[in-house]
């Protein structure tokens, strides 16, 4: 079996602590965080890497190769406790070698005259000083999926086909609108981003021009990534952000009752107690005060 039972933090093995760069201790000390789990995987064997390279005509980067020789993929999850129930929040994933597959078009689009990914190519998207040339969906690029991002996009290992055996690769993020966003030049830099952002939902969108969603920004402000230059954390003066207090968010809320002045059944705030009349009427209709 490739995967083992997730260990508890108290029993985390030294090599797993080294693999996570100590992020488990930071999460464990954060308010409301629970169930920090690492799914341990066996190291890959060298023949598995050689077989992948031969099958895909690509030379695997040395840093990624060394990573797989330590662990054949990576999967770490953590939750937060809301109303005494754990809710999954963080997810850190690196696909195993078997799942490091080439990004291809779905079979439903293979019918005659149906649109293809190549139809999305924009020849005006050229490289500039800040970013390299964007990947192409045609034969100019070879794209492999590193992380499916829980359906929020895809982190991809992208090769430029400049020779029979592709060697040059970079890490890109493909959003749900099929736009490319550059992340890092190598796998080591991307892995650091993954760890320092603690697998927060949609953290890859912090490196896009439109940023993360308002809901994800709330989680970013509660559990700030362990990094110093994430654009999403730069708050503008004219931008109001409802900051949450972790010490209050995860407490159970109880409804308090307001007691009446003369005893009796307590009434919730805002309700009115019925009052009785202090006078009666005589037989003639005139009020008679007691």
């Amino acid at each position: 079996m490739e995967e083992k039972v997730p260990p508890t933090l108290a029993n985390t093995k030294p090599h797993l602590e080294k693999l996570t760069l100590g992020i488990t201790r930071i999460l464990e000390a954060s308010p409301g965080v629970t169930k920090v789990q690492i799914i341990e995987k066996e190291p890959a064997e060298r023949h598995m890497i050689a077989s992948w390279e031969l099958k895909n005509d690509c030379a695997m980067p040395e840093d990624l190769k060394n990573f797989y020789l330590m662990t054949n993929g990576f999967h770490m999850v953590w939750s937060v406790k809301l109303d005494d129930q754990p809710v999954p929040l963080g997810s850190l994933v690196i696909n195993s070698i078997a799942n490091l597959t080439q990004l291809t078009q779905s079979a439903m689009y293979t019918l005659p005259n149906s649109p293809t990914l190549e139809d999305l190519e924009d020849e005006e998207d050229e490289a500039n000083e800040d970013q390299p040339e964007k990947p192409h969906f045609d034969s100019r690029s070879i794209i492999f999926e590193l992380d499916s991002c829980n359906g929020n996009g895809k982190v991809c290992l992208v090769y430029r086909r400049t020779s029979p055996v592709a060697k040059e690769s970079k890490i890109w993020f493909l959003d749900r609108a099929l736009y490319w966003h550059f992340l890092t030049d190598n796998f080591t830099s991307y892995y650091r981003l993954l760890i320092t952002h603690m697998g927060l939902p949609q953290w890859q969108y912090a490196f896009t021009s439109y940023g993360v969603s308002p809901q994800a920004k709330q989680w970013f402000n509660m559990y700030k990534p362990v990094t110093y230059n994430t654009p999403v954390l730069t708050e503008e003066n004219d931008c109001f952000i409802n900051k949450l207090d972790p010490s209050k968010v995860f407490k159970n809320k109880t409804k308090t009752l307001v007691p009446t002045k003369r005893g009796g059944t307590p009434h919730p705030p805002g309700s009115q107690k019925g009052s009785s009349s202090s006078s009666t009427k005589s037989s003639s209709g005139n009020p008679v005060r007691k």
Side-chain angles (χ1 to χ4, degrees), residues 113-184:
N113 300 324
S114 61
T116 65
L117 291 176
E118 295 183 8
D119 295 330
L120 300 176
E121 292 291 338
D122 187 357
E123 297 299 335
E124 296 181 359
D125 290 340
E126 300 294 340
N128 53 48
E129 297 180 357
D130 298 329
Q131 293 186 357
E133 180 182 353
K134 291 185 178 181
H136 300 278
F137 291 111
D138 54 23
S139 59
R140 288 174 289 179
S141 300
I142 311 175
I143 306 169
F144 299 93
E145 181 181 322
L146 279 173
D147 181 11
S148 62
C149 306
N150 291 325
N152 292 315
K154 294 181 184 297
V155 174
C156 299
L157 176 69
V158 180
Y159 286 86
R160 291 184 59 192
R161 195 188 295 273
T162 57
S163 61
V165 178
K167 297 180 180 180
E168 181 183 350
S169 63
K170 298 183 185 300
I171 309 296
W172 288 78
F173 174 61
L174 180 65
D175 65 20
R176 295 189 62 180
L178 301 181
Y179 285 104
W180 288 104
H181 309 275
F182 177 71
L183 291 179
T184 61

Side-chain angles (χ1 to χ4, degrees), residues 32 34 80-87 219 246 248-254:
T34 182
V80 293
K81 185 176 291 187
L82 297 176
D83 294 332
D84 293 329
Q85 296 295 328
V87 178
W219 292 117
K248 297 179 180 179
V249 159
F250 300 106
K251 286 186 177 180
N252 292 330
K253 297 180 179 179
T254 57

Side-chain angles (χ1 to χ4, degrees), residues 9 16 46 89 101 112 128 132 145 181:
L9 284 181
L16 292 179
R46 292 188 178 275
L89 182 65
T101 55
N128 53 48
E145 181 181 322
H181 309 275

